[in-house]
Amino acid sequence: MTVELRNIEVQEQKRRLLDRLGDGKYGAQGSAIEDVSCFPGTRVKILERIDSWIRHTSTPDQVLWIRGMAGRGKSTIASTVAHGWKCRASCAIFHFRRGQNTVNTRFLCTLARQLGNSLAPDVKNAVLESVRQNQDVTNQRLEEQFKTLFVAPLSKLNVQSHPILIVVDALDECDNPKDAVDLVRLIHKHSSSFP
């Protein structure tokens, strides 16, 4: 009985930490990712290339950019990849919608919340510990949030037995191009420190 109560208390504490980051649904407006997936037998080659890139975690290229003309299926590919890997990797996905701003504190918190619900205990615990140590993280500026929620916890992890996959879709829809550029610079600057 004591062990069960202790587990319930620990789970409640983890839920409270995650709640500091919001509900994790910001940026997931519209259809659920399961509803926006490539039709079977379509986009096979690009999905295989992406899956191969994800599986080969030793690659020096830790960032994969998919670009193309509007309406070519990039968002559908992003959703398909995230949905396909959600049970095999620590996944977080954010779909920008026209007019959303990266400076909005909910963007990085949404991704961190999703990683905080990860199936991998080491990823989950690293994110939760960072939130516990930085209770004002939701009030921080973009760069500080990025360092607090991603750089600090993920750089402490040893080699992963499974990938950590963060999908940011439609960054070009961000309301302020400077914010999008700042985010890209942060990713470029810190990607080498991620496992």
Side-chain angles (χ1 to χ4, degrees):
M1 184 71 141
T2 305
V3 172
E4 286 182 36
L5 288 176
R6 177 72 177 134
N7 286 339
I8 291 170
E9 290 170 357
V10 168
Q11 292 302 322
E12 182 60 25
Q13 181 184 26
K14 289 180 178 180
R15 188 192 59 73
R16 282 193 304 271
L17 288 171
L18 286 175
D19 285 348
R20 288 187 185 148
L21 299 174
D23 66 8
K25 295 180 180 173
Y26 180 73
Q29 300 162 347
S31 301
I33 63 170
E34 292 86 358
D35 297 337
V36 184
S37 293
C38 296
F39 289 116
T42 64
R43 308 283 188 193
V44 174
K45 287 187 179 186
I46 187 69
L47 292 172
E48 286 174 351
R49 286 181 61 196
I50 295 168
D51 282 351
S52 176
W53 175 80
I54 294 169
R55 278 193 311 277
H56 294 98
T57 56
S58 62
T59 179
D61 300 322
Q62 295 182 300
V63 176
L64 175 69
W65 295 97
I66 299 175
R67 59 191 179 116
M69 299 283 293
R72 299 293 182 168
K74 298 177 300 295
S75 294
T76 303
I77 290 169
S79 294
T80 301
V81 170
H83 177 65
W85 278 90
K86 71 180 180 180
C87 293
R88 300 182 285 161
S90 297
C91 284
I93 185 168
F94 188 95
H95 294 283
F96 269 99
R97 299 294 180 241
R98 189 164 285 127
Q100 281 181 325
N101 194 331
T102 58
V103 171
N104 185 314
T105 58
R106 293 170 58 191
F107 165 62
L108 292 177
C109 289
T110 296
L111 293 171
R113 165 113 190 192
Q114 292 174 38
L115 288 181
N117 280 323
S118 172
L119 298 174
D122 52 345
V123 174
K124 175 187 275 188
N125 292 335
V127 171
L128 290 174
E129 181 61 22
S130 186
V131 173
R132 190 177 65 68
Q133 291 177 2
N134 300 279
Q135 295 186 18
D136 66 339
V137 67
T138 59
N139 298 323
Q140 293 175 344
R141 297 179 66 202
L142 183 71
E143 183 169 5
E144 290 307 309
Q145 272 192 350
F146 190 83
K147 289 176 183 177
T148 300
L149 295 172
F150 298 102
V151 177
L154 299 181
S155 64
K156 293 177 188 172
L157 298 175
N158 295 327
V159 175
Q160 292 293 296
S161 60
H162 67 280
I164 298 171
L165 181 62
I166 300 173
V167 178
V168 178
D169 176 46
L171 184 58
D172 60 321
E173 295 291 344
C174 173
D175 196 35
N176 185 344
K178 181 194 176 302
D179 293 335
V181 169
D182 289 346
L183 177 64
V184 170
R185 285 185 177 142
L186 284 171
I187 292 168
H188 176 73
K189 179 178 178 181
H190 296 289
S191 66
S192 63
S193 65
F194 298 147

